Amino acid sequence: MKALRRPLLVGTGWLCVGLGIIGIIMPLFPTTPFLLVAVWAFSRSSPELAEKIRNHRLAGPYIRDWEQHGVIPPAAKFFAIVMMSAMFGYLMLATPAPGWAIISAGLVMAGVSAFVLSRPSRPRL
């Protein structure tokens, strides 16, 4: 099992990098959460690849702020809440989803929203 650990973590890292790249191109598809998982997987399998993401010109500061301080910038919080609200509204009004699915999605989104809003917006000095 130990022999499979490194390749699985590297594969997970690259899969998440690919999904993160798709998130850059496709609206409503997240980027940062996938890059956070990629850094986690790479830090346990290929520290050099994790450092490449941490030092990336655009994504790096957000990743480092999250890792070091648990920070989610105000604009990202706003965007996350607005997108979850829009998707919940769409689920309720424009799909034939069963009631249990709507309630479940709403509870998950409410929990995620509470978590996002509870994170600091700036690093504490």
PDB file of all heavy atoms in Angstrom, residues 58-85:
ATOM      1  N   LEU A  58      -0.205  34.423  -9.632  1.00  0.00           N
ATOM      2  CA  LEU A  58      -1.590  34.808  -9.360  1.00  0.00           C
ATOM      3  C   LEU A  58      -2.215  34.021  -8.203  1.00  0.00           C
ATOM      4  O   LEU A  58      -2.827  34.595  -7.315  1.00  0.00           O
ATOM      5  CB  LEU A  58      -2.446  34.628 -10.620  1.00  0.00           C
ATOM      6  CG  LEU A  58      -2.043  35.493 -11.817  1.00  0.00           C
ATOM      7  CD1 LEU A  58      -2.856  35.116 -13.044  1.00  0.00           C
ATOM      8  CD2 LEU A  58      -2.204  36.957 -11.486  1.00  0.00           C
ATOM      9  N   ALA A  59      -2.075  32.713  -8.225  1.00  0.00           N
ATOM     10  CA  ALA A  59      -2.734  31.885  -7.211  1.00  0.00           C
ATOM     11  C   ALA A  59      -1.947  31.806  -5.908  1.00  0.00           C
ATOM     12  O   ALA A  59      -2.530  31.612  -4.843  1.00  0.00           O
ATOM     13  CB  ALA A  59      -2.961  30.474  -7.754  1.00  0.00           C
ATOM     14  N   GLY A  60      -0.644  31.956  -5.983  1.00  0.00           N
ATOM     15  CA  GLY A  60       0.219  31.779  -4.823  1.00  0.00           C
ATOM     16  C   GLY A  60      -0.169  32.570  -3.583  1.00  0.00           C
ATOM     17  O   GLY A  60      -0.248  32.001  -2.490  1.00  0.00           O
ATOM     18  N   PRO A  61      -0.412  33.874  -3.699  1.00  0.00           N
ATOM     19  CA  PRO A  61      -0.756  34.643  -2.497  1.00  0.00           C
ATOM     20  C   PRO A  61      -2.011  34.126  -1.788  1.00  0.00           C
ATOM     21  O   PRO A  61      -2.049  34.076  -0.557  1.00  0.00           O
ATOM     22  CB  PRO A  61      -0.970  36.057  -3.029  1.00  0.00           C
ATOM     23  CG  PRO A  61      -0.149  36.121  -4.278  1.00  0.00           C
ATOM     24  CD  PRO A  61      -0.228  34.737  -4.861  1.00  0.00           C
ATOM     25  N   TYR A  62      -3.020  33.714  -2.537  1.00  0.00           N
ATOM     26  CA  TYR A  62      -4.248  33.198  -1.930  1.00  0.00           C
ATOM     27  C   TYR A  62      -3.975  31.873  -1.217  1.00  0.00           C
ATOM     28  O   TYR A  62      -4.483  31.636  -0.115  1.00  0.00           O
ATOM     29  CB  TYR A  62      -5.343  33.004  -2.975  1.00  0.00           C
ATOM     30  CG  TYR A  62      -5.772  34.297  -3.621  1.00  0.00           C
ATOM     31  CD1 TYR A  62      -5.435  34.572  -4.940  1.00  0.00           C
ATOM     32  CD2 TYR A  62      -6.496  35.243  -2.912  1.00  0.00           C
ATOM     33  CE1 TYR A  62      -5.825  35.769  -5.535  1.00  0.00           C
ATOM     34  CE2 TYR A  62      -6.886  36.431  -3.494  1.00  0.00           C
ATOM     35  CZ  TYR A  62      -6.539  36.691  -4.806  1.00  0.00           C
ATOM     36  OH  TYR A  62      -6.917  37.858  -5.390  1.00  0.00           O
ATOM     37  N   ILE A  63      -3.188  31.020  -1.852  1.00  0.00           N
ATOM     38  CA  ILE A  63      -2.857  29.727  -1.258  1.00  0.00           C
ATOM     39  C   ILE A  63      -2.048  29.927   0.022  1.00  0.00           C
ATOM     40  O   ILE A  63      -2.348  29.328   1.065  1.00  0.00           O
ATOM     41  CB  ILE A  63      -2.066  28.850  -2.260  1.00  0.00           C
ATOM     42  CG1 ILE A  63      -2.867  28.609  -3.549  1.00  0.00           C
ATOM     43  CG2 ILE A  63      -1.609  27.547  -1.618  1.00  0.00           C
ATOM     44  CD1 ILE A  63      -4.138  27.851  -3.389  1.00  0.00           C
ATOM     45  N   ARG A  64      -1.030  30.788  -0.037  1.00  0.00           N
ATOM     46  CA  ARG A  64      -0.199  31.033   1.153  1.00  0.00           C
ATOM     47  C   ARG A  64      -1.004  31.670   2.273  1.00  0.00           C
ATOM     48  O   ARG A  64      -0.864  31.293   3.447  1.00  0.00           O
ATOM     49  CB  ARG A  64       1.006  31.904   0.792  1.00  0.00           C
ATOM     50  CG  ARG A  64       2.061  31.164  -0.014  1.00  0.00           C
ATOM     51  CD  ARG A  64       3.345  31.967  -0.150  1.00  0.00           C
ATOM     52  NE  ARG A  64       3.142  33.317  -0.644  1.00  0.00           N
ATOM     53  CZ  ARG A  64       3.108  33.662  -1.927  1.00  0.00           C
ATOM     54  NH1 ARG A  64       3.265  32.744  -2.861  1.00  0.00           N
ATOM     55  NH2 ARG A  64       2.936  34.917  -2.290  1.00  0.00           N
ATOM     56  N   ASP A  65      -1.867  32.633   1.945  1.00  0.00           N
ATOM     57  CA  ASP A  65      -2.705  33.260   2.979  1.00  0.00           C
ATOM     58  C   ASP A  65      -3.599  32.222   3.656  1.00  0.00           C
ATOM     59  O   ASP A  65      -3.799  32.259   4.870  1.00  0.00           O
ATOM     60  CB  ASP A  65      -3.570  34.375   2.398  1.00  0.00           C
ATOM     61  CG  ASP A  65      -2.817  35.672   2.207  1.00  0.00           C
ATOM     62  OD1 ASP A  65      -1.673  35.784   2.706  1.00  0.00           O
ATOM     63  OD2 ASP A  65      -3.375  36.578   1.560  1.00  0.00           O
ATOM     64  N   TRP A  66      -4.146  31.300   2.876  1.00  0.00           N
ATOM     65  CA  TRP A  66      -4.995  30.265   3.463  1.00  0.00           C
ATOM     66  C   TRP A  66      -4.172  29.336   4.341  1.00  0.00           C
ATOM     67  O   TRP A  66      -4.563  29.032   5.469  1.00  0.00           O
ATOM     68  CB  TRP A  66      -5.721  29.462   2.381  1.00  0.00           C
ATOM     69  CG  TRP A  66      -6.450  28.316   2.984  1.00  0.00           C
ATOM     70  CD1 TRP A  66      -6.074  27.003   2.974  1.00  0.00           C
ATOM     71  CD2 TRP A  66      -7.642  28.372   3.762  1.00  0.00           C
ATOM     72  NE1 TRP A  66      -6.976  26.250   3.677  1.00  0.00           N
ATOM     73  CE2 TRP A  66      -7.951  27.066   4.180  1.00  0.00           C
ATOM     74  CE3 TRP A  66      -8.499  29.411   4.146  1.00  0.00           C
ATOM     75  CZ2 TRP A  66      -9.059  26.757   4.952  1.00  0.00           C
ATOM     76  CZ3 TRP A  66      -9.608  29.105   4.916  1.00  0.00           C
ATOM     77  CH2 TRP A  66      -9.878  27.798   5.307  1.00  0.00           C
ATOM     78  N   GLU A  67      -3.044  28.872   3.831  1.00  0.00           N
ATOM     79  CA  GLU A  67      -2.225  27.926   4.597  1.00  0.00           C
ATOM     80  C   GLU A  67      -1.678  28.543   5.883  1.00  0.00           C
ATOM     81  O   GLU A  67      -1.657  27.895   6.923  1.00  0.00           O
ATOM     82  CB  GLU A  67      -1.045  27.439   3.757  1.00  0.00           C
ATOM     83  CG  GLU A  67      -1.419  26.448   2.696  1.00  0.00           C
ATOM     84  CD  GLU A  67      -0.218  25.875   1.991  1.00  0.00           C
ATOM     85  OE1 GLU A  67       0.757  26.605   1.731  1.00  0.00           O
ATOM     86  OE2 GLU A  67      -0.248  24.670   1.696  1.00  0.00           O
ATOM     87  N   GLN A  68      -1.247  29.785   5.813  1.00  0.00           N
ATOM     88  CA  GLN A  68      -0.593  30.412   6.961  1.00  0.00           C
ATOM     89  C   GLN A  68      -1.562  31.051   7.945  1.00  0.00           C
ATOM     90  O   GLN A  68      -1.289  31.088   9.146  1.00  0.00           O
ATOM     91  CB  GLN A  68       0.414  31.462   6.481  1.00  0.00           C
ATOM     92  CG  GLN A  68       1.560  30.858   5.702  1.00  0.00           C
ATOM     93  CD  GLN A  68       2.401  31.899   4.981  1.00  0.00           C
ATOM     94  OE1 GLN A  68       2.176  33.096   5.122  1.00  0.00           O
ATOM     95  NE2 GLN A  68       3.353  31.439   4.198  1.00  0.00           N
ATOM     96  N   HIS A  69      -2.679  31.582   7.452  1.00  0.00           N
ATOM     97  CA  HIS A  69      -3.565  32.366   8.317  1.00  0.00           C
ATOM     98  C   HIS A  69      -5.041  31.960   8.245  1.00  0.00           C
ATOM     99  O   HIS A  69      -5.867  32.521   8.955  1.00  0.00           O
ATOM    100  CB  HIS A  69      -3.467  33.856   7.971  1.00  0.00           C
ATOM    101  CG  HIS A  69      -2.067  34.384   7.961  1.00  0.00           C
ATOM    102  ND1 HIS A  69      -1.357  34.617   9.112  1.00  0.00           N
ATOM    103  CD2 HIS A  69      -1.249  34.710   6.942  1.00  0.00           C
ATOM    104  CE1 HIS A  69      -0.156  35.077   8.800  1.00  0.00           C
ATOM    105  NE2 HIS A  69      -0.064  35.135   7.487  1.00  0.00           N
ATOM    106  N   GLY A  70      -5.404  31.047   7.345  1.00  0.00           N
ATOM    107  CA  GLY A  70      -6.804  30.671   7.189  1.00  0.00           C
ATOM    108  C   GLY A  70      -7.654  31.796   6.620  1.00  0.00           C
ATOM    109  O   GLY A  70      -8.851  31.880   6.894  1.00  0.00           O
ATOM    110  N   VAL A  71      -7.039  32.652   5.796  1.00  0.00           N
ATOM    111  CA  VAL A  71      -7.689  33.860   5.278  1.00  0.00           C
ATOM    112  C   VAL A  71      -8.452  33.572   3.989  1.00  0.00           C
ATOM    113  O   VAL A  71      -7.954  32.880   3.099  1.00  0.00           O
ATOM    114  CB  VAL A  71      -6.626  34.957   5.028  1.00  0.00           C
ATOM    115  CG1 VAL A  71      -7.175  36.084   4.183  1.00  0.00           C
ATOM    116  CG2 VAL A  71      -6.094  35.471   6.338  1.00  0.00           C
ATOM    117  N   ILE A  72      -9.658  34.121   3.911  1.00  0.00           N
ATOM    118  CA  ILE A  72     -10.433  34.161   2.670  1.00  0.00           C
ATOM    119  C   ILE A  72     -10.715  35.636   2.408  1.00  0.00           C
ATOM    120  O   ILE A  72     -11.373  36.296   3.223  1.00  0.00           O
ATOM    121  CB  ILE A  72     -11.755  33.373   2.773  1.00  0.00           C
ATOM    122  CG1 ILE A  72     -11.483  31.904   3.085  1.00  0.00           C
ATOM    123  CG2 ILE A  72     -12.548  33.500   1.472  1.00  0.00           C
ATOM    124  CD1 ILE A  72     -12.729  31.069   3.319  1.00  0.00           C
ATOM    125  N   PRO A  73     -10.221  36.185   1.293  1.00  0.00           N
ATOM    126  CA  PRO A  73     -10.418  37.613   1.023  1.00  0.00           C
ATOM    127  C   PRO A  73     -11.903  37.983   0.920  1.00  0.00           C
ATOM    128  O   PRO A  73     -12.728  37.156   0.508  1.00  0.00           O
ATOM    129  CB  PRO A  73      -9.720  37.842  -0.322  1.00  0.00           C
ATOM    130  CG  PRO A  73      -8.843  36.659  -0.525  1.00  0.00           C
ATOM    131  CD  PRO A  73      -9.443  35.528   0.254  1.00  0.00           C
ATOM    132  N   PRO A  74     -12.256  39.222   1.281  1.00  0.00           N
ATOM    133  CA  PRO A  74     -13.668  39.648   1.243  1.00  0.00           C
ATOM    134  C   PRO A  74     -14.332  39.446  -0.119  1.00  0.00           C
ATOM    135  O   PRO A  74     -15.473  39.001  -0.182  1.00  0.00           O
ATOM    136  CB  PRO A  74     -13.609  41.129   1.604  1.00  0.00           C
ATOM    137  CG  PRO A  74     -12.333  41.293   2.358  1.00  0.00           C
ATOM    138  CD  PRO A  74     -11.384  40.270   1.806  1.00  0.00           C
ATOM    139  N   ALA A  75     -13.629  39.737  -1.196  1.00  0.00           N
ATOM    140  CA  ALA A  75     -14.232  39.573  -2.528  1.00  0.00           C
ATOM    141  C   ALA A  75     -14.541  38.100  -2.799  1.00  0.00           C
ATOM    142  O   ALA A  75     -15.569  37.779  -3.399  1.00  0.00           O
ATOM    143  CB  ALA A  75     -13.300  40.126  -3.605  1.00  0.00           C
ATOM    144  N   ALA A  76     -13.674  37.203  -2.356  1.00  0.00           N
ATOM    145  CA  ALA A  76     -13.915  35.763  -2.553  1.00  0.00           C
ATOM    146  C   ALA A  76     -15.102  35.304  -1.706  1.00  0.00           C
ATOM    147  O   ALA A  76     -15.904  34.478  -2.156  1.00  0.00           O
ATOM    148  CB  ALA A  76     -12.657  34.975  -2.198  1.00  0.00           C
ATOM    149  N   LYS A  77     -15.212  35.832  -0.492  1.00  0.00           N
ATOM    150  CA  LYS A  77     -16.369  35.497   0.348  1.00  0.00           C
ATOM    151  C   LYS A  77     -17.658  35.943  -0.336  1.00  0.00           C
ATOM    152  O   LYS A  77     -18.629  35.181  -0.424  1.00  0.00           O
ATOM    153  CB  LYS A  77     -16.263  36.192   1.712  1.00  0.00           C
ATOM    154  CG  LYS A  77     -15.212  35.633   2.615  1.00  0.00           C
ATOM    155  CD  LYS A  77     -15.215  36.401   3.924  1.00  0.00           C
ATOM    156  CE  LYS A  77     -14.154  35.909   4.858  1.00  0.00           C
ATOM    157  NZ  LYS A  77     -14.217  36.563   6.169  1.00  0.00           N
ATOM    158  N   PHE A  78     -17.673  37.172  -0.802  1.00  0.00           N
ATOM    159  CA  PHE A  78     -18.854  37.725  -1.463  1.00  0.00           C
ATOM    160  C   PHE A  78     -19.234  36.874  -2.675  1.00  0.00           C
ATOM    161  O   PHE A  78     -20.390  36.480  -2.844  1.00  0.00           O
ATOM    162  CB  PHE A  78     -18.595  39.181  -1.870  1.00  0.00           C
ATOM    163  CG  PHE A  78     -19.718  39.799  -2.640  1.00  0.00           C
ATOM    164  CD1 PHE A  78     -20.854  40.249  -1.989  1.00  0.00           C
ATOM    165  CD2 PHE A  78     -19.653  39.920  -4.018  1.00  0.00           C
ATOM    166  CE1 PHE A  78     -21.914  40.809  -2.694  1.00  0.00           C
ATOM    167  CE2 PHE A  78     -20.698  40.481  -4.737  1.00  0.00           C
ATOM    168  CZ  PHE A  78     -21.830  40.925  -4.072  1.00  0.00           C
ATOM    169  N   PHE A  79     -18.241  36.581  -3.512  1.00  0.00           N
ATOM    170  CA  PHE A  79     -18.495  35.808  -4.725  1.00  0.00           C
ATOM    171  C   PHE A  79     -19.024  34.417  -4.378  1.00  0.00           C
ATOM    172  O   PHE A  79     -19.966  33.923  -5.006  1.00  0.00           O
ATOM    173  CB  PHE A  79     -17.216  35.715  -5.566  1.00  0.00           C
ATOM    174  CG  PHE A  79     -17.421  35.092  -6.911  1.00  0.00           C
ATOM    175  CD1 PHE A  79     -18.130  35.750  -7.902  1.00  0.00           C
ATOM    176  CD2 PHE A  79     -16.913  33.836  -7.186  1.00  0.00           C
ATOM    177  CE1 PHE A  79     -18.327  35.177  -9.145  1.00  0.00           C
ATOM    178  CE2 PHE A  79     -17.098  33.247  -8.416  1.00  0.00           C
ATOM    179  CZ  PHE A  79     -17.806  33.917  -9.405  1.00  0.00           C
ATOM    180  N   ALA A  80     -18.438  33.776  -3.363  1.00  0.00           N
ATOM    181  CA  ALA A  80     -18.876  32.434  -2.971  1.00  0.00           C
ATOM    182  C   ALA A  80     -20.328  32.444  -2.500  1.00  0.00           C
ATOM    183  O   ALA A  80     -21.129  31.588  -2.904  1.00  0.00           O
ATOM    184  CB  ALA A  80     -17.962  31.892  -1.871  1.00  0.00           C
ATOM    185  N   ILE A  81     -20.683  33.414  -1.659  1.00  0.00           N
ATOM    186  CA  ILE A  81     -22.052  33.482  -1.131  1.00  0.00           C
ATOM    187  C   ILE A  81     -23.052  33.791  -2.242  1.00  0.00           C
ATOM    188  O   ILE A  81     -24.121  33.177  -2.326  1.00  0.00           O
ATOM    189  CB  ILE A  81     -22.147  34.530   0.005  1.00  0.00           C
ATOM    190  CG1 ILE A  81     -21.170  34.215   1.135  1.00  0.00           C
ATOM    191  CG2 ILE A  81     -23.577  34.657   0.516  1.00  0.00           C
ATOM    192  CD1 ILE A  81     -21.340  32.881   1.805  1.00  0.00           C
ATOM    193  N   VAL A  82     -22.702  34.724  -3.114  1.00  0.00           N
ATOM    194  CA  VAL A  82     -23.596  35.077  -4.227  1.00  0.00           C
ATOM    195  C   VAL A  82     -23.804  33.870  -5.150  1.00  0.00           C
ATOM    196  O   VAL A  82     -24.936  33.564  -5.541  1.00  0.00           O
ATOM    197  CB  VAL A  82     -23.056  36.299  -5.004  1.00  0.00           C
ATOM    198  CG1 VAL A  82     -23.772  36.482  -6.333  1.00  0.00           C
ATOM    199  CG2 VAL A  82     -23.175  37.557  -4.165  1.00  0.00           C
ATOM    200  N   MET A  83     -22.735  33.171  -5.468  1.00  0.00           N
ATOM    201  CA  MET A  83     -22.858  32.018  -6.375  1.00  0.00           C
ATOM    202  C   MET A  83     -23.670  30.887  -5.738  1.00  0.00           C
ATOM    203  O   MET A  83     -24.512  30.273  -6.401  1.00  0.00           O
ATOM    204  CB  MET A  83     -21.478  31.506  -6.780  1.00  0.00           C
ATOM    205  CG  MET A  83     -20.745  32.413  -7.740  1.00  0.00           C
ATOM    206  SD  MET A  83     -21.555  32.500  -9.348  1.00  0.00           S
ATOM    207  CE  MET A  83     -22.394  34.049  -9.261  1.00  0.00           C
ATOM    208  N   MET A  84     -23.430  30.627  -4.449  1.00  0.00           N
ATOM    209  CA  MET A  84     -24.226  29.578  -3.789  1.00  0.00           C
ATOM    210  C   MET A  84     -25.694  29.974  -3.726  1.00  0.00           C
ATOM    211  O   MET A  84     -26.580  29.133  -3.951  1.00  0.00           O
ATOM    212  CB  MET A  84     -23.677  29.291  -2.386  1.00  0.00           C
ATOM    213  CG  MET A  84     -22.441  28.430  -2.405  1.00  0.00           C
ATOM    214  SD  MET A  84     -21.936  27.896  -0.783  1.00  0.00           S
ATOM    215  CE  MET A  84     -21.035  29.321  -0.219  1.00  0.00           C
ATOM    216  N   SER A  85     -25.974  31.231  -3.450  1.00  0.00           N
ATOM    217  CA  SER A  85     -27.365  31.697  -3.406  1.00  0.00           C
ATOM    218  C   SER A  85     -28.023  31.573  -4.773  1.00  0.00           C
ATOM    219  O   SER A  85     -29.170  31.111  -4.883  1.00  0.00           O
ATOM    220  CB  SER A  85     -27.413  33.152  -2.929  1.00  0.00           C
ATOM    221  OG  SER A  85     -26.880  33.262  -1.642  1.00  0.00           O
TER     222      SER A  85
END
